[in-house]
Structures are given as C-alpha cells and as structure tokens.
Amino acid sequence: MAEGSASILTEASRPDGRVRLRGSTLGCGPGRASDRGQRAPGAAGDLAETLQDLARRHRIPGVQLAVHRNGSTVTAEFGELEHGGGRPVSPETAFPIGSISKVFTATLSMILVADGDVELDAPLVEHLSELVGWGDQLTLRQVLSHTSGLASGPDSEDVVAASLRRYVLDHCRRQERVLPPGGGFSYSNAGYILAGLLIEKITGMSWGAAMESILLRPLGVDPAFIAGPQWKETGRPVASGHSVNTAVGRTRPVRQSLASAEAPAGALAVSAVDLVSLGLMHVGRGVPDLLPAECAQEMRRAVSGADPFGLADGWGAGLAVFHEGATDWVGHDGNADGTSCHLRVDPVGERIVALTSNANIGMVLWQDLLGELSQDIPIGPRVWASQGPPIEPPQNCIGEYANGDLEYAVTRGEDGDLRLVVDGDVALLTCHDGLTFTFADPSSGRHVVGGRFTADRHTGMIDGIQINGRLVRRSGHAVQQVA
C-alpha cells in the first residue's frame, strides 16, 4: 500500500456566493481552484496516522477522510485504488458512495422546490401521470424522507433493461406499498428512483445531466457515475470496491452492479472532500445562491412519526438525523458493491466528517474512527443497544414476511433457536425487550442490533419486521389506510 498523505483546505467564497475549496493537493478540475491552502502539519499528520493505523488494522485497501471545523478542512488519504494495483489514493480519487447519492438527488429536488417547479407537500401526480393510481396521497416530502410507504425495490439484475419510467410503472405501484403514505418509515430505493423521474420531467434532462449541470458543477465537483446514461469514462480516478474476508485474509476487487434505472439512488462516485462540499450547504450561511437556507432546513428537519430504527433517530427530506447529547448531526451512510462511505454534518457547530473506503467492511473502520475523534468531534459510534437481557421470542413471530420482492422467513431450528432466513442465508436471532433482536454481524463478528418485530396496535399480533430501516410485512397482512 502507498503511504498515507494529509492536507488542509480552507473554505473560500466565490464572487457568485457559492463555495469552492482551496486545496493543497487538489487537481484543477472544473470549478475547483488550484491555489495551495495553509498547512497544519500537526493536525493533518495526526489525522493521517490515525487513518493509516485503522486501515491497516481492518485491511481496508484504500480510504479518504475529510474533517471540517473552524472554517477549514483537514484531509487524509491512505492506500490504493485497487488492491495490489499500486495506484495510490489521492484527494481527487472518486469512491462509489452508494446511497449517499440519495442526498445529492434530494438536494437537487430541493433546488427545484426553491425554484417553484414543484411543491414539497403537493401531490406528485400533478407532475407524474405514472402515479395516477395513488391519487393525491403521495408527496415529494414523503418520498425524500422514506415515509412514502413504497417498497424497497427489486434486485438490480431484475431491472437491468428498465428506464426510470418503466421502473416507476412496474415497482412504484400503490398495491405493493408496505405502509400508507405518511404512515411511518420504511427505507426505499424505489422512492428515490421516483424522485429521479420527477427531476427528468421537470428539467427535461436525464437525471445524470441535471445532476451534473445544476448541482455538481456549481459545487466544484468533477462528476463521476458508475451507472446510468450519464456514465462515462473520465480522467478522474475511481476506486474499485473490494470484498474483504478478514477470517481467511482474502481481499478481492468486485464490480459495480447497479442498474441504469437505479442511478438516482446510488450511482455517484465522489471524494471525501466532495462530500464536505455538499455538507457545507448545511453549515453557516450554507450556499444560498444554490440552495436557500429554508430548503436546507427542510432537508434536515425530522418528519413527525418517522422512526428509522437501526439507521438513525429521525429523517428529514433527504438527510438522516442523529441525536448526540445536545447536538443534532445530520448525514447519510452509503454502500456500493465493496465500498462503505459516510457523511455527518453538525449545522450549528459547523463541523463535518466524511469518510470514503473501498471495502465492504468499511463500516467497522468508521465506527472505530468515530471513537478516535470523539474527544474533539463527539459524534460517537452509533450503537443501538438491545433492550435488556435475552428473553423468549414473541409467540407469534414465526412466519413469512415480504417487502416488494424481498422475502424473509422467521423459523425455529431443531435446537429451538430462532432463525431469520433471507435468500438462503441464515442468521440466529436473540430476542430482547421492546421486540428487538440481535445477531452476529458476519463481516465483523460483532453482535449487533439487527432490528425489531412490529405489532398491530389493536391485536398485539406481530405484523412485520423492521430491519435495516426497511419494514418487512407479514405475508397476507393488509396495509391499513390512514384516515
């Protein structure tokens, strides 16, 4: 692996009021200055050493870290774009950021709201005839906050040839919802593909072209896409994802498998510094010429009734909300094939932390990193504590569950152990109070809160499972409409 490097960037304002980053080692891409910023060897050196130690400990091939506070951004990089390839990670290396792409799609959507092209709480059917079956029930706020009731979405291989419109017609149907609109939280990739179609209808451009011209270029971000019509070879280096098996000491590059239609939910590749550029829209004055402050606030204002158990403490119109003492951090996590990336923003304290890594186990590094940073930046590793000691499972939890095409089964083994079966994979569950359950994370071996059962409030019968933020409903259980 290449040795780590570090630099410090200072925030500067453009004549048009938008933000650019002045970097010590950044390339001079479109919208990005090439001036060298002030150096802070001590802080940058400490950050680089911490990052190197963690990456080596967890066998992460390549990683970037950017920490913004007190008006400046310190960065550190370590490792290679591809394991054994010899090409070092640099500040401009782009990493496939998976679901953090949703924050960019939500930001672009909110720019259209600010321009008066669409209303946050108006029926989307006014713009999308594809939603005629929903009537006036579905809104942009619900889609961006994962309270639309839409299912998660199909596997990428099942929509390889689909356009955004075809995807919406086939997989955003009212009869396949898992909740009534506004009835609660269930994480949905399909919802963001719906938002991508809305962007295309309003702008007259493809999602990728609109993303590049309306948001990325003004932010000074050199676009890179791993899927979609906008995908193209660029001069910008893009890191490969990796499958890392620490038990056997094996590291293998993996290919990205995202379908073209899924681009609005996960197709962007950017650097940690680019994530800071996005985060700067939510600190201080933000970037008012691009996204007015009131629209930025709506992105991070938690929606009432949304409980993203296991993911965050709340969710706004595009950003997850994390309570840490008296501070509300906002952000998002993202996983592409073999990558793990993370963004946290403290709008009041004007602090931002962004990490990109090219390994499937990057979340473990992220959790350890937050522990290392906690003295100066007290985000704290997100640990969802189980509710007390192990208890007997709910009597009526055995059965089959589904979320769109996702199928789950809860069974009992011959030894009496409770098991969760998903696509042939089996996890042993340990139940606790509050209908929560834990299981061993296969990638890290750590015992984690896997999710919780949900119960009908009238009968007390188990009617679903909330896992990874998705609501998986017991098969055959009707979705009750909210009056």
mmCIF file of all heavy atoms in Angstrom, residues 26-75:
data_model
loop_
_atom_site.group_PDB
_atom_site.id
_atom_site.type_symbol
_atom_site.label_atom_id
_atom_site.label_comp_id
_atom_site.label_asym_id
_atom_site.label_seq_id
_atom_site.Cartn_x
_atom_site.Cartn_y
_atom_site.Cartn_z
ATOM 1 N N LEU A 26 -5.239 19.357 -4.393
ATOM 2 C CA LEU A 26 -6.339 19.061 -5.295
ATOM 3 C C LEU A 26 -5.981 19.387 -6.727
ATOM 4 O O LEU A 26 -5.282 20.347 -7.015
ATOM 5 C CB LEU A 26 -7.588 19.877 -4.896
ATOM 6 C CG LEU A 26 -8.281 19.428 -3.610
ATOM 7 C CD1 LEU A 26 -9.426 20.370 -3.313
ATOM 8 C CD2 LEU A 26 -8.799 18.015 -3.763
ATOM 9 N N GLY A 27 -6.544 18.582 -7.664
ATOM 10 C CA GLY A 27 -6.377 18.877 -9.074
ATOM 11 C C GLY A 27 -7.191 20.092 -9.461
ATOM 12 O O GLY A 27 -8.089 20.518 -8.757
ATOM 13 N N CYS A 28 -6.895 20.654 -10.619
ATOM 14 C CA CYS A 28 -7.577 21.861 -11.068
ATOM 15 C C CYS A 28 -8.692 21.494 -12.032
ATOM 16 O O CYS A 28 -8.666 21.839 -13.203
ATOM 17 C CB CYS A 28 -6.584 22.808 -11.731
ATOM 18 S SG CYS A 28 -7.233 24.450 -12.068
ATOM 19 N N GLY A 29 -9.682 20.773 -11.548
ATOM 20 C CA GLY A 29 -10.835 20.400 -12.355
ATOM 21 C C GLY A 29 -11.778 21.563 -12.495
ATOM 22 O O GLY A 29 -11.575 22.641 -11.930
ATOM 23 N N PRO A 30 -12.840 21.399 -13.292
ATOM 24 C CA PRO A 30 -13.809 22.474 -13.477
ATOM 25 C C PRO A 30 -14.379 22.947 -12.151
ATOM 26 O O PRO A 30 -14.813 22.150 -11.324
ATOM 27 C CB PRO A 30 -14.891 21.795 -14.331
ATOM 28 C CG PRO A 30 -14.196 20.650 -14.996
ATOM 29 C CD PRO A 30 -13.178 20.190 -14.020
ATOM 30 N N GLY A 31 -14.355 24.251 -11.927
ATOM 31 C CA GLY A 31 -14.938 24.818 -10.726
ATOM 32 C C GLY A 31 -14.098 24.633 -9.486
ATOM 33 O O GLY A 31 -14.538 24.978 -8.399
ATOM 34 N N ARG A 32 -12.875 24.133 -9.624
ATOM 35 C CA ARG A 32 -12.044 23.896 -8.431
ATOM 36 C C ARG A 32 -10.747 24.685 -8.563
ATOM 37 O O ARG A 32 -10.059 24.610 -9.570
ATOM 38 C CB ARG A 32 -11.739 22.400 -8.284
ATOM 39 C CG ARG A 32 -11.190 22.053 -6.915
ATOM 40 C CD ARG A 32 -10.810 20.595 -6.831
ATOM 41 N NE ARG A 32 -11.923 19.693 -7.005
ATOM 42 C CZ ARG A 32 -12.858 19.460 -6.084
ATOM 43 N NH1 ARG A 32 -12.824 20.109 -4.949
ATOM 44 N NH2 ARG A 32 -13.822 18.594 -6.309
ATOM 45 N N ALA A 33 -10.421 25.421 -7.514
ATOM 46 C CA ALA A 33 -9.214 26.234 -7.549
ATOM 47 C C ALA A 33 -7.973 25.387 -7.327
ATOM 48 O O ALA A 33 -8.026 24.356 -6.667
ATOM 49 C CB ALA A 33 -9.283 27.328 -6.488
ATOM 50 N N SER A 34 -6.858 25.824 -7.848
ATOM 51 C CA SER A 34 -5.620 25.077 -7.676
ATOM 52 C C SER A 34 -4.687 25.720 -6.662
ATOM 53 O O SER A 34 -3.585 25.245 -6.445
ATOM 54 C CB SER A 34 -4.891 24.963 -9.020
ATOM 55 O OG SER A 34 -4.566 26.251 -9.503
ATOM 56 N N ASP A 35 -5.134 26.840 -6.041
ATOM 57 C CA ASP A 35 -4.284 27.509 -5.062
ATOM 58 C C ASP A 35 -3.940 26.564 -3.923
ATOM 59 O O ASP A 35 -4.727 25.736 -3.527
ATOM 60 C CB ASP A 35 -5.012 28.718 -4.446
ATOM 61 C CG ASP A 35 -5.688 29.581 -5.487
ATOM 62 O OD1 ASP A 35 -6.316 29.011 -6.382
ATOM 63 O OD2 ASP A 35 -5.600 30.798 -5.358
ATOM 64 N N ARG A 36 -2.777 26.744 -3.364
ATOM 65 C CA ARG A 36 -2.389 25.957 -2.198
ATOM 66 C C ARG A 36 -2.900 26.634 -0.937
ATOM 67 O O ARG A 36 -2.752 27.834 -0.755
ATOM 68 C CB ARG A 36 -0.868 25.805 -2.114
ATOM 69 C CG ARG A 36 -0.317 24.899 -3.204
ATOM 70 C CD ARG A 36 1.172 24.687 -3.023
ATOM 71 N NE ARG A 36 1.653 23.743 -4.012
ATOM 72 C CZ ARG A 36 1.723 22.437 -3.812
ATOM 73 N NH1 ARG A 36 1.327 21.939 -2.672
ATOM 74 N NH2 ARG A 36 2.180 21.637 -4.751
ATOM 75 N N GLY A 37 -3.517 25.846 -0.082
ATOM 76 C CA GLY A 37 -4.041 26.382 1.181
ATOM 77 C C GLY A 37 -2.983 26.369 2.256
ATOM 78 O O GLY A 37 -1.853 25.942 2.065
ATOM 79 N N GLN A 38 -3.361 26.859 3.432
ATOM 80 C CA GLN A 38 -2.443 26.869 4.559
ATOM 81 C C GLN A 38 -2.208 25.444 5.043
ATOM 82 O O GLN A 38 -3.076 24.594 4.969
ATOM 83 C CB GLN A 38 -3.042 27.707 5.682
ATOM 84 C CG GLN A 38 -3.246 29.163 5.286
ATOM 85 C CD GLN A 38 -3.929 29.929 6.398
ATOM 86 O OE1 GLN A 38 -4.506 29.339 7.300
ATOM 87 N NE2 GLN A 38 -3.839 31.242 6.329
ATOM 88 N N ARG A 39 -1.032 25.197 5.544
ATOM 89 C CA ARG A 39 -0.689 23.869 6.052
ATOM 90 C C ARG A 39 -0.853 23.833 7.572
ATOM 91 O O ARG A 39 -0.612 24.806 8.261
ATOM 92 C CB ARG A 39 0.763 23.508 5.709
ATOM 93 C CG ARG A 39 1.064 23.435 4.226
ATOM 94 C CD ARG A 39 0.424 22.238 3.586
ATOM 95 N NE ARG A 39 0.993 21.012 4.101
ATOM 96 C CZ ARG A 39 0.596 19.813 3.732
ATOM 97 N NH1 ARG A 39 -0.386 19.682 2.854
ATOM 98 N NH2 ARG A 39 1.160 18.729 4.236
ATOM 99 N N ALA A 40 -1.287 22.699 8.059
ATOM 100 C CA ALA A 40 -1.352 22.476 9.506
ATOM 101 C C ALA A 40 -0.762 21.102 9.775
ATOM 102 O O ALA A 40 -1.470 20.137 9.985
ATOM 103 C CB ALA A 40 -2.787 22.563 9.998
ATOM 104 N N PRO A 41 0.570 20.988 9.712
ATOM 105 C CA PRO A 41 1.206 19.673 9.746
ATOM 106 C C PRO A 41 0.812 18.841 10.944
ATOM 107 O O PRO A 41 0.635 17.632 10.839
ATOM 108 C CB PRO A 41 2.714 20.014 9.764
ATOM 109 C CG PRO A 41 2.795 21.408 9.221
ATOM 110 C CD PRO A 41 1.540 22.079 9.659
ATOM 111 N N GLY A 42 0.682 19.466 12.122
ATOM 112 C CA GLY A 42 0.367 18.673 13.302
ATOM 113 C C GLY A 42 -0.980 17.996 13.186
ATOM 114 O O GLY A 42 -1.110 16.783 13.303
ATOM 115 N N ALA A 43 -2.033 18.787 12.930
ATOM 116 C CA ALA A 43 -3.382 18.238 12.849
ATOM 117 C C ALA A 43 -3.503 17.257 11.706
ATOM 118 O O ALA A 43 -4.060 16.173 11.844
ATOM 119 C CB ALA A 43 -4.388 19.375 12.695
ATOM 120 N N ALA A 44 -2.988 17.641 10.535
ATOM 121 C CA ALA A 44 -3.083 16.772 9.369
ATOM 122 C C ALA A 44 -2.281 15.494 9.578
ATOM 123 O O ALA A 44 -2.720 14.398 9.220
ATOM 124 C CB ALA A 44 -2.593 17.521 8.126
ATOM 125 N N GLY A 45 -1.088 15.624 10.185
ATOM 126 C CA GLY A 45 -0.273 14.452 10.418
ATOM 127 C C GLY A 45 -0.925 13.472 11.376
ATOM 128 O O GLY A 45 -0.884 12.259 11.168
ATOM 129 N N ASP A 46 -1.537 13.995 12.428
ATOM 130 C CA ASP A 46 -2.234 13.134 13.382
ATOM 131 C C ASP A 46 -3.384 12.408 12.707
ATOM 132 O O ASP A 46 -3.613 11.217 12.946
ATOM 133 C CB ASP A 46 -2.760 13.956 14.560
ATOM 134 C CG ASP A 46 -1.640 14.522 15.424
ATOM 135 O OD1 ASP A 46 -0.506 14.034 15.296
ATOM 136 O OD2 ASP A 46 -1.910 15.453 16.207
ATOM 137 N N LEU A 47 -4.110 13.115 11.866
ATOM 138 C CA LEU A 47 -5.245 12.522 11.178
ATOM 139 C C LEU A 47 -4.787 11.417 10.235
ATOM 140 O O LEU A 47 -5.375 10.337 10.182
ATOM 141 C CB LEU A 47 -5.997 13.601 10.394
ATOM 142 C CG LEU A 47 -7.409 13.257 9.952
ATOM 143 C CD1 LEU A 47 -8.330 13.134 11.155
ATOM 144 C CD2 LEU A 47 -7.934 14.334 9.010
ATOM 145 N N ALA A 48 -3.710 11.669 9.498
ATOM 146 C CA ALA A 48 -3.188 10.671 8.569
ATOM 147 C C ALA A 48 -2.706 9.427 9.305
ATOM 148 O O ALA A 48 -2.952 8.296 8.862
ATOM 149 C CB ALA A 48 -2.045 11.270 7.740
ATOM 150 N N GLU A 49 -2.041 9.628 10.445
ATOM 151 C CA GLU A 49 -1.535 8.485 11.202
ATOM 152 C C GLU A 49 -2.684 7.637 11.736
ATOM 153 O O GLU A 49 -2.648 6.402 11.683
ATOM 154 C CB GLU A 49 -0.664 8.976 12.357
ATOM 155 C CG GLU A 49 -0.027 7.843 13.152
ATOM 156 C CD GLU A 49 0.899 8.356 14.245
ATOM 157 O OE1 GLU A 49 1.131 9.586 14.310
ATOM 158 O OE2 GLU A 49 1.387 7.527 15.034
ATOM 159 N N THR A 50 -3.728 8.294 12.249
ATOM 160 C CA THR A 50 -4.899 7.564 12.735
ATOM 161 C C THR A 50 -5.547 6.769 11.622
ATOM 162 O O THR A 50 -5.904 5.589 11.790
ATOM 163 C CB THR A 50 -5.919 8.546 13.334
ATOM 164 O OG1 THR A 50 -5.349 9.208 14.460
ATOM 165 C CG2 THR A 50 -7.191 7.821 13.763
ATOM 166 N N LEU A 51 -5.702 7.391 10.456
ATOM 167 C CA LEU A 51 -6.341 6.723 9.330
ATOM 168 C C LEU A 51 -5.518 5.524 8.865
ATOM 169 O O LEU A 51 -6.064 4.453 8.578
ATOM 170 C CB LEU A 51 -6.532 7.717 8.183
ATOM 171 C CG LEU A 51 -7.431 7.249 7.040
ATOM 172 C CD1 LEU A 51 -8.867 7.075 7.529
ATOM 173 C CD2 LEU A 51 -7.394 8.245 5.879
ATOM 174 N N GLN A 52 -4.216 5.687 8.779
ATOM 175 C CA GLN A 52 -3.348 4.579 8.374
ATOM 176 C C GLN A 52 -3.459 3.404 9.338
ATOM 177 O O GLN A 52 -3.597 2.247 8.915
ATOM 178 C CB GLN A 52 -1.888 5.044 8.329
ATOM 179 C CG GLN A 52 -1.552 5.983 7.196
ATOM 180 C CD GLN A 52 -0.118 6.472 7.290
ATOM 181 O OE1 GLN A 52 0.772 5.699 7.616
ATOM 182 N NE2 GLN A 52 0.100 7.744 7.009
ATOM 183 N N ASP A 53 -3.424 3.706 10.626
ATOM 184 C CA ASP A 53 -3.484 2.635 11.625
ATOM 185 C C ASP A 53 -4.792 1.857 11.507
ATOM 186 O O ASP A 53 -4.802 0.611 11.549
ATOM 187 C CB ASP A 53 -3.356 3.220 13.036
ATOM 188 C CG ASP A 53 -1.953 3.742 13.337
ATOM 189 O OD1 ASP A 53 -1.023 3.390 12.569
ATOM 190 O OD2 ASP A 53 -1.795 4.492 14.318
ATOM 191 N N LEU A 54 -5.903 2.567 11.350
ATOM 192 C CA LEU A 54 -7.201 1.907 11.258
ATOM 193 C C LEU A 54 -7.333 1.112 9.961
ATOM 194 O O LEU A 54 -7.873 -0.002 9.957
ATOM 195 C CB LEU A 54 -8.331 2.934 11.368
ATOM 196 C CG LEU A 54 -8.506 3.591 12.738
ATOM 197 C CD1 LEU A 54 -9.561 4.689 12.667
ATOM 198 C CD2 LEU A 54 -8.882 2.558 13.785
ATOM 199 N N ALA A 55 -6.852 1.679 8.860
ATOM 200 C CA ALA A 55 -6.947 0.971 7.587
ATOM 201 C C ALA A 55 -6.125 -0.307 7.598
ATOM 202 O O ALA A 55 -6.566 -1.352 7.113
ATOM 203 C CB ALA A 55 -6.488 1.891 6.442
ATOM 204 N N ARG A 56 -4.948 -0.256 8.161
ATOM 205 C CA ARG A 56 -4.113 -1.460 8.253
ATOM 206 C C ARG A 56 -4.747 -2.496 9.181
ATOM 207 O O ARG A 56 -4.757 -3.687 8.883
ATOM 208 C CB ARG A 56 -2.716 -1.081 8.747
ATOM 209 C CG ARG A 56 -1.864 -0.367 7.698
ATOM 210 C CD ARG A 56 -0.506 -0.010 8.256
ATOM 211 N NE ARG A 56 0.384 0.476 7.220
ATOM 212 C CZ ARG A 56 1.161 1.545 7.339
ATOM 213 N NH1 ARG A 56 1.158 2.232 8.472
ATOM 214 N NH2 ARG A 56 1.948 1.916 6.352
ATOM 215 N N ARG A 57 -5.291 -2.024 10.302
ATOM 216 C CA ARG A 57 -5.899 -2.931 11.260
ATOM 217 C C ARG A 57 -7.070 -3.685 10.638
ATOM 218 O O ARG A 57 -7.255 -4.875 10.870
ATOM 219 C CB ARG A 57 -6.374 -2.147 12.478
ATOM 220 C CG ARG A 57 -6.992 -3.021 13.585
ATOM 221 C CD ARG A 57 -7.653 -2.150 14.647
ATOM 222 N NE ARG A 57 -6.780 -1.072 15.103
ATOM 223 C CZ ARG A 57 -7.217 -0.049 15.833
ATOM 224 N NH1 ARG A 57 -8.489 0.043 16.174
ATOM 225 N NH2 ARG A 57 -6.373 0.901 16.216
ATOM 226 N N HIS A 58 -7.858 -2.988 9.818
ATOM 227 C CA HIS A 58 -9.061 -3.607 9.256
ATOM 228 C C HIS A 58 -8.876 -4.080 7.812
ATOM 229 O O HIS A 58 -9.846 -4.502 7.187
ATOM 230 C CB HIS A 58 -10.225 -2.614 9.332
ATOM 231 C CG HIS A 58 -10.615 -2.264 10.739
ATOM 232 N ND1 HIS A 58 -11.102 -3.196 11.619
ATOM 233 C CD2 HIS A 58 -10.568 -1.088 11.417
ATOM 234 C CE1 HIS A 58 -11.354 -2.606 12.781
ATOM 235 N NE2 HIS A 58 -11.038 -1.334 12.693
ATOM 236 N N ARG A 59 -7.646 -3.972 7.309
ATOM 237 C CA ARG A 59 -7.320 -4.478 5.970
ATOM 238 C C ARG A 59 -8.157 -3.788 4.884
ATOM 239 O O ARG A 59 -8.617 -4.415 3.927
ATOM 240 C CB ARG A 59 -7.508 -5.995 5.907
ATOM 241 C CG ARG A 59 -6.722 -6.762 6.962
ATOM 242 C CD ARG A 59 -6.971 -8.256 6.880
ATOM 243 N NE ARG A 59 -6.428 -8.799 5.641
ATOM 244 C CZ ARG A 59 -5.175 -9.244 5.503
ATOM 245 N NH1 ARG A 59 -4.355 -9.230 6.526
ATOM 246 N NH2 ARG A 59 -4.759 -9.730 4.343
ATOM 247 N N ILE A 60 -8.328 -2.467 5.024
ATOM 248 C CA ILE A 60 -9.049 -1.684 4.016
ATOM 249 C C ILE A 60 -8.045 -1.264 2.941
ATOM 250 O O ILE A 60 -7.051 -0.611 3.246
ATOM 251 C CB ILE A 60 -9.694 -0.435 4.640
ATOM 252 C CG1 ILE A 60 -10.516 -0.806 5.877
ATOM 253 C CG2 ILE A 60 -10.535 0.284 3.612
ATOM 254 C CD1 ILE A 60 -11.726 -1.635 5.618
ATOM 255 N N PRO A 61 -8.282 -1.609 1.659
ATOM 256 C CA PRO A 61 -7.299 -1.273 0.627
ATOM 257 C C PRO A 61 -7.064 0.222 0.457
ATOM 258 O O PRO A 61 -5.930 0.661 0.270
ATOM 259 C CB PRO A 61 -7.903 -1.883 -0.645
ATOM 260 C CG PRO A 61 -8.789 -2.984 -0.151
ATOM 261 C CD PRO A 61 -9.361 -2.474 1.133
ATOM 262 N N GLY A 62 -8.132 1.036 0.496
ATOM 263 C CA GLY A 62 -7.973 2.464 0.279
ATOM 264 C C GLY A 62 -9.045 3.259 1.006
ATOM 265 O O GLY A 62 -10.190 2.816 1.141
ATOM 266 N N VAL A 63 -8.667 4.456 1.470
ATOM 267 C CA VAL A 63 -9.605 5.235 2.283
ATOM 268 C C VAL A 63 -9.247 6.714 2.212
ATOM 269 O O VAL A 63 -8.078 7.082 2.039
ATOM 270 C CB VAL A 63 -9.574 4.721 3.746
ATOM 271 C CG1 VAL A 63 -8.212 4.923 4.370
ATOM 272 C CG2 VAL A 63 -10.670 5.344 4.582
ATOM 273 N N GLN A 64 -10.281 7.561 2.317
ATOM 274 C CA GLN A 64 -10.109 9.008 2.418
ATOM 275 C C GLN A 64 -10.882 9.503 3.640
ATOM 276 O O GLN A 64 -11.947 8.965 3.964
ATOM 277 C CB GLN A 64 -10.682 9.741 1.206
ATOM 278 C CG GLN A 64 -10.028 9.468 -0.122
ATOM 279 C CD GLN A 64 -10.874 10.055 -1.251
ATOM 280 O OE1 GLN A 64 -12.111 10.041 -1.194
ATOM 281 N NE2 GLN A 64 -10.224 10.567 -2.278
ATOM 282 N N LEU A 65 -10.373 10.543 4.263
ATOM 283 C CA LEU A 65 -11.062 11.174 5.383
ATOM 284 C C LEU A 65 -10.946 12.684 5.233
ATOM 285 O O LEU A 65 -9.873 13.207 4.901
ATOM 286 C CB LEU A 65 -10.443 10.733 6.709
ATOM 287 C CG LEU A 65 -10.963 11.410 7.984
ATOM 288 C CD1 LEU A 65 -12.440 11.104 8.203
ATOM 289 C CD2 LEU A 65 -10.137 10.970 9.195
ATOM 290 N N ALA A 66 -12.056 13.388 5.460
ATOM 291 C CA ALA A 66 -12.051 14.847 5.467
ATOM 292 C C ALA A 66 -12.810 15.316 6.699
ATOM 293 O O ALA A 66 -13.936 14.877 6.945
ATOM 294 C CB ALA A 66 -12.700 15.404 4.205
ATOM 295 N N VAL A 67 -12.191 16.198 7.481
ATOM 296 C CA VAL A 67 -12.792 16.728 8.698
ATOM 297 C C VAL A 67 -12.798 18.247 8.606
ATOM 298 O O VAL A 67 -11.745 18.880 8.499
ATOM 299 C CB VAL A 67 -12.020 16.274 9.958
ATOM 300 C CG1 VAL A 67 -12.639 16.892 11.210
ATOM 301 C CG2 VAL A 67 -11.994 14.757 10.054
ATOM 302 N N HIS A 68 -13.996 18.828 8.651
ATOM 303 C CA HIS A 68 -14.146 20.285 8.560
ATOM 304 C C HIS A 68 -14.548 20.848 9.917
ATOM 305 O O HIS A 68 -15.512 20.391 10.533
ATOM 306 C CB HIS A 68 -15.224 20.629 7.529
ATOM 307 C CG HIS A 68 -15.482 22.113 7.427
ATOM 308 N ND1 HIS A 68 -14.781 22.930 6.589
ATOM 309 C CD2 HIS A 68 -16.370 22.910 8.077
ATOM 310 C CE1 HIS A 68 -15.215 24.171 6.704
ATOM 311 N NE2 HIS A 68 -16.183 24.183 7.614
ATOM 312 N N ARG A 69 -13.811 21.844 10.374
ATOM 313 C CA ARG A 69 -14.176 22.574 11.591
ATOM 314 C C ARG A 69 -13.373 23.868 11.616
ATOM 315 O O ARG A 69 -12.312 23.979 10.998
ATOM 316 C CB ARG A 69 -13.895 21.745 12.844
ATOM 317 C CG ARG A 69 -12.468 21.291 12.988
ATOM 318 C CD ARG A 69 -12.286 20.463 14.242
ATOM 319 N NE ARG A 69 -10.928 19.943 14.309
ATOM 320 C CZ ARG A 69 -10.448 19.257 15.338
ATOM 321 N NH1 ARG A 69 -11.225 19.034 16.374
ATOM 322 N NH2 ARG A 69 -9.210 18.802 15.332
ATOM 323 N N ASN A 70 -13.916 24.860 12.333
ATOM 324 C CA ASN A 70 -13.260 26.165 12.461
ATOM 325 C C ASN A 70 -12.914 26.767 11.106
ATOM 326 O O ASN A 70 -11.876 27.407 10.932
ATOM 327 C CB ASN A 70 -12.000 26.050 13.328
ATOM 328 C CG ASN A 70 -12.288 25.537 14.719
ATOM 329 O OD1 ASN A 70 -13.319 25.847 15.307
ATOM 330 N ND2 ASN A 70 -11.380 24.717 15.251
ATOM 331 N N GLY A 71 -13.779 26.517 10.110
ATOM 332 C CA GLY A 71 -13.597 27.151 8.806
ATOM 333 C C GLY A 71 -12.580 26.502 7.906
ATOM 334 O O GLY A 71 -12.282 27.024 6.825
ATOM 335 N N SER A 72 -12.002 25.372 8.304
ATOM 336 C CA SER A 72 -11.024 24.702 7.448
ATOM 337 C C SER A 72 -11.306 23.213 7.405
ATOM 338 O O SER A 72 -11.952 22.655 8.290
ATOM 339 C CB SER A 72 -9.589 24.955 7.927
ATOM 340 O OG SER A 72 -9.389 24.371 9.196
ATOM 341 N N THR A 73 -10.793 22.560 6.365
ATOM 342 C CA THR A 73 -11.000 21.129 6.166
ATOM 343 C C THR A 73 -9.657 20.430 6.077
ATOM 344 O O THR A 73 -8.860 20.707 5.183
ATOM 345 C CB THR A 73 -11.801 20.860 4.879
ATOM 346 O OG1 THR A 73 -13.035 21.553 4.945
ATOM 347 C CG2 THR A 73 -12.068 19.367 4.714
ATOM 348 N N VAL A 74 -9.412 19.533 7.019
ATOM 349 C CA VAL A 74 -8.201 18.724 7.008
ATOM 350 C C VAL A 74 -8.524 17.388 6.359
ATOM 351 O O VAL A 74 -9.565 16.782 6.642
ATOM 352 C CB VAL A 74 -7.678 18.491 8.446
ATOM 353 C CG1 VAL A 74 -6.441 17.606 8.432
ATOM 354 C CG2 VAL A 74 -7.369 19.827 9.116
ATOM 355 N N THR A 75 -7.658 16.925 5.460
ATOM 356 C CA THR A 75 -7.906 15.673 4.755
ATOM 357 C C THR A 75 -6.744 14.706 4.949
ATOM 358 O O THR A 75 -5.606 15.110 5.214
ATOM 359 C CB THR A 75 -8.099 15.904 3.239
ATOM 360 O OG1 THR A 75 -6.843 16.254 2.638
ATOM 361 C CG2 THR A 75 -9.109 17.001 2.979
#
